[in-house]
Structures are given as structure tokens and as C-alpha cells.
Amino acid sequence: ALRVNIGLEQLELHCNQVGPCGAERIAEALRCNSTLRSLSLHGNPIGDAGARALSKGLLANTSLRTLSLHGTGLADVGAARLSWALETNPTLHELCLGENFIGNIGASHIARMLTVNIILQELRLDSNRIGDVGVLRLAEALQVSEGLSDLILKHNPVGRLGLRHLATSLAQNESLACLSVTAMVADQVEKAD
């Protein structure tokens, strides 16, 4: 139905037990749908396999502006696949990947995407597993990023070193208007690793 629907602009499927197969069906529809502007799969267990499917849909889609994959079980592989698709996606402005299992490797892939994507404006990575190494990669990307205006990193195991990297990148970034990060003291960071 989503493939041929010409009126639906927003679809919220919060906590509906949509899994990887359901994400594949949604991705197939995204390839040919030209009206959907906002998609939220918040709280659905799509995992990395679902992210892989959605990345294929994002490669062809030219209408989606907002995508929420908050609490969907994504880890580094899913973040890598989405990042790959977003390197060339011409329309996505907001991406929510909060409350997942994305670590330093996934953050590195996201950082690479930020160096070439000038469309994405808001990125939520709160409540993941991104530590100082991942924040370093994101900070390096912020030094050259031209589009991102909001970056949410709250509730990640970021320590003082990560904060220093972010502070350094802010001196060179002219587009970031909102940065939200919660630093953990050194002993908390060691426990999180």
C-alpha cells in the first residue's frame, strides 16, 4: 500500500514488533514512494539486518526527510550500512539512532558520512556505546562538516578526552548550533568499557 499511496506523509510504527522482514517490506516501498516525509520505527526490533534493508531503500528514495530508528537494536554493522546510504541520499534532514548499541566502529562510519553529506542537519546518537575513540572520529568530521546543526551524544561513555576532541572541533565548525553531550568521570568510563 505504501508503494502506491500518494497522500501519506508521516508513518509512525512505534513498538509494533516490526522485525527485519518488515523493514525489508518498508524499504521496498521507500524505493518507489515519493510522498512519505517522516518514518519512525521507534522500538521495533529491526536490528542490523533491518538497517541493511532500509539503507537500500534510502539509496533510491528522494522524499524522506526524517527517519527515527530509536531503540531498534542497531549496532555497528547497521550504522555502517545506513552511513553508506546517507553518503549520497539527497533528502534526509533528521536521523535518530538513539538508544541502540552503536559503538566506536559505528561512530567512525557515521563520521565518514558526515564529511560528505551536507543535507543531514540533526543527528541523535544518545544512549549508545560511543566512547572517546568514536567521539574523536565524530569530532574530526565536525571540523569539515558543512550541514550538521544538531548533534546529540548524551548518555554515551564519553570521557574528558572525548570532550577535548569535541571542543577542538567546535573551533573550526561553523554549522553546529546544538551539541548535547554528557561526560562520564574516568572511573565510570572504565566500567563502561
Side-chain angles (χ1 to χ4, degrees):
L2 190 55
R3 287 185 200 186
V4 294
N5 185 295
I6 57 170
L8 188 66
E9 292 185 7
Q10 183 174 344
L11 179 60
E12 294 182 0
L13 297 172
H14 295 192
C15 303
N16 279 294
Q17 294 303 311
V18 174
C21 291
E24 177 68 40
R25 300 299 166 266
I26 292 168
E28 289 170 7
L30 283 177
R31 289 185 192 117
C32 41
N33 181 289
S34 62
T35 59
L36 191 66
R37 302 283 185 256
S38 177
L39 173 63
S40 177
L41 294 175
H42 179 111
N44 288 288
I46 67 166
D48 287 339
R52 181 175 54 247
L54 288 172
S55 70
K56 293 176 185 175
L58 288 171
L59 285 172
N61 184 278
T62 58
S63 64
L64 198 65
R65 303 276 190 267
T66 303
L67 177 61
S68 176
L69 299 176
H70 184 97
T72 53
L74 299 183
D76 291 333
V77 172
R81 290 307 296 252
L82 288 169
S83 297
W84 168 72
L86 291 175
E87 286 183 12
T88 57
N89 180 282
T91 58
L92 198 70
H93 289 229
E94 297 177 30
L95 177 62
C96 176
L97 298 176
E99 220 170 288
N100 280 296
F101 305 103
I102 299 168
N104 292 329
I105 294 171
S108 295
H109 287 285
I110 292 168
R112 186 192 70 237
M113 175 270 296
L114 290 174
T115 65
V116 295
N117 181 311
I118 59 169
I119 303 299
L120 190 66
Q121 296 172 354
E122 182 178 330
L123 177 60
R124 297 189 63 94
L125 294 170
D126 49 306
S127 301
N128 275 284
R129 298 177 176 173
I130 302 169
D132 287 341
V133 173
V135 169
L136 168 63
R137 299 296 171 244
L138 291 168
E140 291 169 346
L142 287 176
Q143 291 178 4
V144 297
S145 174
E146 296 178 7
L148 196 67
S149 62
D150 294 23
L151 177 60
I152 311 301
L153 285 169
K154 296 185 296 188
H155 309 296
N156 279 288
V158 178
R160 290 182 184 100
L161 183 61
L163 288 178
R164 277 196 294 272
H165 293 310
L166 287 171
T168 301
S169 70
L170 292 177
Q172 295 178 355
N173 181 290
E174 296 179 5
S175 65
L176 201 65
C178 175
L179 173 63
S180 180
V181 61
T182 308
M184 300 176 77
V185 294
D187 61 329
Q188 288 177 315
V189 173
E190 289 172 11
K191 290 177 187 175
D193 291 340

